[in-house]
């Protein structure tokens, strides 16, 4: 088998974990029971040994897949040699009322023949612990399954064990067992269905009625939630809804933590080493994502994110004497079985031989100063939306601003988490300014006295960045104080956080320089110039393109912004999903997928450009052209 395109996958999930499902009906990625848990299926990282769960016609077929409107339920349609099958995949989300035998820690799959007759091929090949652990499958004895329920439709169980882990596969399809695989085929006629329920533990047998009610409850849950969001509407309603659902899938229902992505080690550079684990809770990513959700109307996400960080500071204290917070944390910080320590899985070949495969993330130990500005921006937006901060919450934010005043002059590893030496990154300084600025704003709004050194620090940061971060010869802000001319697309955020007005000539010059040197194709913007300590290519970063849209719109270049937005929206997957990066040479999506960052950028740009159209200032500019 060959690897399929990253963008070919759909994500289904329960707000605790998620599975990637290909258009051939194969689940090729599933960490279970949590997103940060080791995988049960990982064929996306090794086609030979990673493990998979595939439901497909037995012969040649063509397929399409789509999400059922406003939900995370994925439907794949197979047109086989004799008939047509539909495959419906979902995971019941946390918090809905479940039939007692279909728990929220379940992957549920239904295959239905909708035309003529077709034979289904079943291949169930779990491989515990990233294919490192022993896996065995055995039939569940009838005495265990028998519970007096009469509408089970012939559903039988298979127990899957690996070390101390146990899963159960319940199905009404007759399967043949080997020691660690279950396979088989079943012919379906028009109107017939087969159910497959993979669930944690060794629980009771589900029935047809349980499965159907769970599907209906899942559809109702997602459609009710999307329908409650006032920001989901307009020309790009479907993309806004898909982004909202995707970001919420990555928002843990139990802890409020937001994962950057549901995957690890999907490469930014095919065949290269830029392969990272994104199944963690970053202060930066989670704050940006929570603000995007809040702008759609899901204010509770922004509140939960702010609470998570302030509660963590209150309970655990600062990360060290030098660092108040690490940049990222486990989704379950109280679970000592999960580690952020970065290790490689050398037994896995990696997606399209992109090794190493990594779990954990060494950026945990980096100093990243921009993160504090992201959290203060979130707090400021919440207060602007009418949320009242408690005295304890304000005390935590006050402590963060004090820390920023102490450390803002230090070098760090920046927003891009470079693996070269730390620098005085301009974006980090600007975000430190934003942290102090919003701290002053919040204190004033609360009627608190503003410490004089906060005001002095804000002015000092501003003066220093304008003096040391701007290059007259480039007519642009550059990557760092040490850089002579290297650009950084993160400087597009300078007007977006209020550091300088969008019509300032230095902002306009920075936009022009980035269009000239980092816009590498229509709708694609690279992150930065200069070394980052890694070999290989860094391709266009999706979020940076949305930042360009936002900066152009703020600067009055609405026609240009609308063109760039249209270009990048056209590059989404057939399901409306975005990975981390896009290769401008062939349009291939690269990196972890789907990326919460990217979908937050989409929401912000679509909503921002809509507002710019309603309240236009300035004049539209010529649409930019990329350089060769």
């Amino acid at each position: 088998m060959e690897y399929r395109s990253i963008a070919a996958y759909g994500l289904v999930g329960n707000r605790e974990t998620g599975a990637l499902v290909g258009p051939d009906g194969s689940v090729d990625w599933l960490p279970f029971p949590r997103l940060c848990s080791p995988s049960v299926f990982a064929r996306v990282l090794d086609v030979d040994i990673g493990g998979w769960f595939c439901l497909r016609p037995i012969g040649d077929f063509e397929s399409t897949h789509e999400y059922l409107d406003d939900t995370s339920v994925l439907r794949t349609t197979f047109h086989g040699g004799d008939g047509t099958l539909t495959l419906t995949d979902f995971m019941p989300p946390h918090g809905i009322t479940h039939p007692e035998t279909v728990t929220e820690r379940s992957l549920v799959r239904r295959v239905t023949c909708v035309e003529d007759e077709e034979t289904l091929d079943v291949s169930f090949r779990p491989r515990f612990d990233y294919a490192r652990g022993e896996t065995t499958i055995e039939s569940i004895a009838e005495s265990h399954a028998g519970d007096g329920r009469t509408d089970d439709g012939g559903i039988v169980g298979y127990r899957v064990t690996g070390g101390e882990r146990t899963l159960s596969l319940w199905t009404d399809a007759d399967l043949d067992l080997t020691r660690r695989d279950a396979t088989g085929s079943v012919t379906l006629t028009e109107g017939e269905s087969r159910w497959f329920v993979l669930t944690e533990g060794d629980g009771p047998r589900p029935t047809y009625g349980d499965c159907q009610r769970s599907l209906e409850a899942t559809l109702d849950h997602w459609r009710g939630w999307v329908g409650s969001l006032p920001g989901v509407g307009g020309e790009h309603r479907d993309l806004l809804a898909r982004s909202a659902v995707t970001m919420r899938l990555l928002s843990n229902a139990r802890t409020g933590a937001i994962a950057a992505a549901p995957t690890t080690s999907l490469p930014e550079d095919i065949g290269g080493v830029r392969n990272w684990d994104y199944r963690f809770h970053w202060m930066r990513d989670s704050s940006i994502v929570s603000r995007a959700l809040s702008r759609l109307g899901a204010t509770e996400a922004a509140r939960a994110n702010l609470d998570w960080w302030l509660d963590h500071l209150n309970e655990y204290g600062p990360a060290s004497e030098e660092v108040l917070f690490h940049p990222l944390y486990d989704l379950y910080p109280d679970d000592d079985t999960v580690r952020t320590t970065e290790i490689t899985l050398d037994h896995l070949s990696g997606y399209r031989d992109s090794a190493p495969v990594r779990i954990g993330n060494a950026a945990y130990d980096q100093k990243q100063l921009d993160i504090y500005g992201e959290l203060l921006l979130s707090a400021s937006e919440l207060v602007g939306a009418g949320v009242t901060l408690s005295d304890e919450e304000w005390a935590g934010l006050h402590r963060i601003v004090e820390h920023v005043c102490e450390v803002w002059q230090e070098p760090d590893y920046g927003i891009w988490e470079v693996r070269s030496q730390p620098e005085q990154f301009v974006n980090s300084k600007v975000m430190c300014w934003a942290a102090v600025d919003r701290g002053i704003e919040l204190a004033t709004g609360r009627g608190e006295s503003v410490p004089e050194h906060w005001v002095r620090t804000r002015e000092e940061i501003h003066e220093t960045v304008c003096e040391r971060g701007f290059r007259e010869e480039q007519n642009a802000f550059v990557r760092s104080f040490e850089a002579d001319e290297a650009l950084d697309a993160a400087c597009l955020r300078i007007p977006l956080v209020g550091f300088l007005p969008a019509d300032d000539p230095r902002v306009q010059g920075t936009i022009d320089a980035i269009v000239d040197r980092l816009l590498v194709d229509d709708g694609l913007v690279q992150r930065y110039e200069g070394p980052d300590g890694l070999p290989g290519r860094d391709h266009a970063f999706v979020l940076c393109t949305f930042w360009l849209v936002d900066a152009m719109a703020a600067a009055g270049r609405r026609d240009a912004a609308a063109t760039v937005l249209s270009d990048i929206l056209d590059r989404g997957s057939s399901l409306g999903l975005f990975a981390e990066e896009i290769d401008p040479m062939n349009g291939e999506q690269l990196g972890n997928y789907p990326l919460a960052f990217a979908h937050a950028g989409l929401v912000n740009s679509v909503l921002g450009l809509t507002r710019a159209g309603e309240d236009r200032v300035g004049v539209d500019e010529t649409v930019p052209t990329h350089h060769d």
Side-chain angles (χ1 to χ4, degrees):
M1 175 194 165
E2 296 181 355
Y3 289 95
R4 63 180 53 85
S5 166
I6 290 171
Y9 287 101
L11 173 69
V12 299
N14 60 358
R15 301 191 62 207
E16 190 171 20
T17 190
L20 292 186
V21 185
D24 64 345
S26 184
V27 177
D28 288 347
W29 175 250
L30 176 62
F32 203 73
R34 296 173 170 178
L35 201 62
C36 49
S37 300
S39 67
V40 176
F41 309 116
R43 180 156 66 170
V44 73
L45 296 175
D46 193 307
V47 294
D48 296 318
I49 69 170
W52 62 87
F53 183 9
C54 190
L55 304 175
R56 54 181 285 180
I58 202 164
D60 294 336
F61 64 88
E62 294 182 352
S63 69
T64 58
H65 60 177
E66 61 185 346
Y67 283 106
L68 300 187
D69 290 346
D70 293 352
T71 77
S72 66
V73 179
L74 186 66
R75 180 174 61 196
T76 306
T77 301
F78 301 103
H79 299 284
D82 299 316
T84 301
L85 301 176
T86 60
L87 167 63
T88 303
D89 283 298
F90 70 97
M91 300 185 77
H94 175 79
I96 70 172
T97 301
H98 303 279
E100 64 178 16
T101 57
V102 181
T103 72
E104 60 197 34
R105 287 184 168 180
S106 299
L107 170 65
V108 185
R109 318 191 76 191
R110 183 188 70 185
V111 180
T112 302
C113 183
V114 296
E115 185 178 11
D116 296 329
E117 179 181 283
E118 190 64 50
T119 300
L120 174 72
D121 180 69
V122 181
S123 179
F124 178 68
R125 304 180 185 274
R127 299 293 184 265
F128 282 107
D129 193 20
Y130 306 106
R132 294 181 298 186
E134 184 65 25
T135 302
T136 59
I137 303 178
E138 59 182 347
S139 295
I140 295 177
E142 189 65 29
S143 60
H144 172 84
D147 54 7
R149 298 160 68 83
T150 58
D151 62 340
D152 56 37
I155 290 177
V156 297
Y158 302 90
R159 181 182 295 110
V160 189
T161 58
E164 297 180 356
R165 298 282 306 284
T166 301
L167 304 177
S168 298
L169 175 65
W170 299 98
T171 180
D172 52 347
D174 187 21
L175 302 180
D176 298 321
L177 299 186
T178 64
R179 182 173 60 86
R180 58 180 189 163
D181 298 332
T183 59
S185 61
V186 56
T187 298
L188 301 176
T189 58
E190 188 169 327
E192 278 192 292
S193 296
R194 293 291 185 271
W195 289 91
F196 301 81
V197 181
L198 180 65
T199 190
E200 183 185 32
D202 202 7
R205 171 179 51 183
T207 68
Y208 272 162
D210 293 331
C211 295
Q212 185 61 40
R213 286 189 293 273
S214 184
L215 172 57
E216 293 169 358
T218 299
L219 291 170
D220 290 344
H221 168 84
W222 283 108
R223 287 172 175 161
W225 180 76
V226 172
S228 72
L229 302 179
V232 174
E235 177 185 0
H236 299 296
R237 184 203 178 279
D238 289 346
L239 284 174
L240 289 173
R242 181 55 43 213
S243 291
V245 169
T246 301
M247 290 187 290
R248 194 166 195 254
L249 280 174
L250 297 174
S251 304
N252 190 279
R254 299 179 188 273
T255 69
I258 301 176
T263 55
T264 181
S265 293
L266 293 182
E268 300 170 17
D269 183 32
I270 298 297
V273 301
R274 296 170 181 261
N275 318 315
W276 317 110
D277 192 346
Y278 277 12
R279 297 170 297 160
F280 296 102
H281 182 44
W282 267 265
M283 180 180 285
R284 175 193 309 109
D285 297 50
S286 65
S287 296
I288 290 175
V289 170
S290 66
R291 292 200 300 274
L293 283 167
S294 181
R295 290 163 189 168
L296 289 171
T299 308
E300 76 279 359
R303 185 62 190 253
N305 181 64
L306 179 66
D307 289 346
W308 193 101
W309 293 103
L310 296 179
D311 289 347
H312 190 279
L313 181 62
N314 184 56
E315 182 173 356
Y316 297 102
S320 69
E321 293 182 2
E322 297 80 21
V323 177
L324 199 60
F325 286 100
H326 292 290
L328 61 105
Y329 288 85
D330 292 328
L331 298 172
Y332 292 84
D334 58 342
D335 184 351
D336 59 10
T337 65
V338 180
R339 302 293 186 216
T340 54
T341 302
E342 187 173 291
I343 64 174
T344 62
L345 303 179
D346 295 330
H347 66 289
L348 296 177
S349 62
Y351 177 84
R352 290 168 58 183
D353 296 322
S354 302
V357 172
R358 294 183 174 95
I359 57 175
N361 198 306
Y364 174 81
D365 292 320
Q366 289 187 349
K367 178 184 291 183
Q368 297 176 17
L369 299 180
D370 65 295
I371 62 175
Y372 304 113
E374 300 292 0
L375 196 66
L376 266 295
L377 285 168
S378 291
S380 175
E381 283 206 21
L382 278 171
V383 171
V387 172
T388 300
L389 299 176
S390 68
D391 291 342
E392 185 177 41
E393 289 169 332
W394 169 242
L397 293 171
H398 189 285
R399 186 176 183 182
I400 291 172
V401 177
E402 286 289 346
H403 179 72
V404 171
C405 289
E406 294 173 1
V407 303
W408 74 268
Q409 299 183 68
E410 298 176 8
D412 74 333
Y413 290 90
I415 184 173
W416 307 125
E417 301 180 342
V418 297
R419 302 231 168 173
S420 52
Q421 293 299 311
E423 299 180 37
Q424 300 277 4
F425 288 105
V426 168
N427 176 72
S428 293
K429 307 306 179 191
V430 169
M431 295 307 293
C432 284
W433 176 91
V436 180
D437 179 75
R438 297 317 192 267
I440 293 172
E441 172 190 276
L442 290 170
T444 301
R446 292 174 58 86
E448 306 269 356
S449 59
V450 177
E452 292 184 6
H453 67 279
W454 287 15
V455 177
R456 290 197 307 270
T457 299
R458 181 176 62 176
E459 294 174 353
E460 186 177 356
I461 297 174
H462 198 279
E463 292 174 0
T464 303
V465 170
C466 291
E467 179 181 345
R468 300 183 60 191
F470 184 79
R471 300 290 180 269
E472 295 287 349
E473 57 274 20
Q474 308 296 325
N475 192 30
F477 285 95
V478 292
R479 161 177 159 152
S480 67
F481 295 170
E482 296 88 347
D484 292 328
E485 58 183 36
L487 298 178
D488 184 347
C491 291
L492 290 167
R493 303 187 72 198
I494 286 173
L496 306 180
V497 302
F499 184 84
L500 286 173
D503 60 358
D504 188 289
R506 292 165 293 184
V507 170
Q508 299 281 357
T510 301
I511 295 173
D512 291 338
I514 287 172
V515 166
D516 182 52
R517 288 160 51 185
L518 294 182
L519 184 67
V520 294
D521 199 356
D522 296 336
L524 295 178
V525 178
Q526 290 182 312
R527 288 190 285 183
Y528 50 80
E529 299 171 325
D532 59 11
L534 294 166
R537 297 183 59 194
D538 185 59
H539 297 286
F541 199 79
V542 172
L543 180 60
C544 292
T545 295
F546 289 121
W547 284 345
L548 178 61
V549 172
D550 298 341
M552 286 178 165
R557 309 182 188 187
R558 188 176 182 278
D559 287 349
T563 297
V564 175
L565 178 63
S566 177
D567 288 340
I568 188 61
L569 294 183
D570 287 344
R571 293 181 179 274
S573 77
S574 62
L575 294 170
L577 301 179
F578 284 90
E580 182 178 8
E581 298 189 358
I582 296 176
D583 186 341
M585 299 299 292
N586 56 24
E588 183 176 8
Q589 296 211 36
L590 299 170
N592 285 304
Y593 171 90
L595 188 73
F597 241 177
H599 287 277
L602 185 155
V603 168
N604 292 335
S605 290
V606 169
L607 296 182
L609 197 57
T610 299
R611 287 194 297 268
E614 295 171 349
D615 184 23
R616 296 182 62 167
V617 294
V619 296
D620 292 333
E621 301 292 333
T622 303
V623 175
T625 57
H626 68 86
H627 73 279
D628 295 323

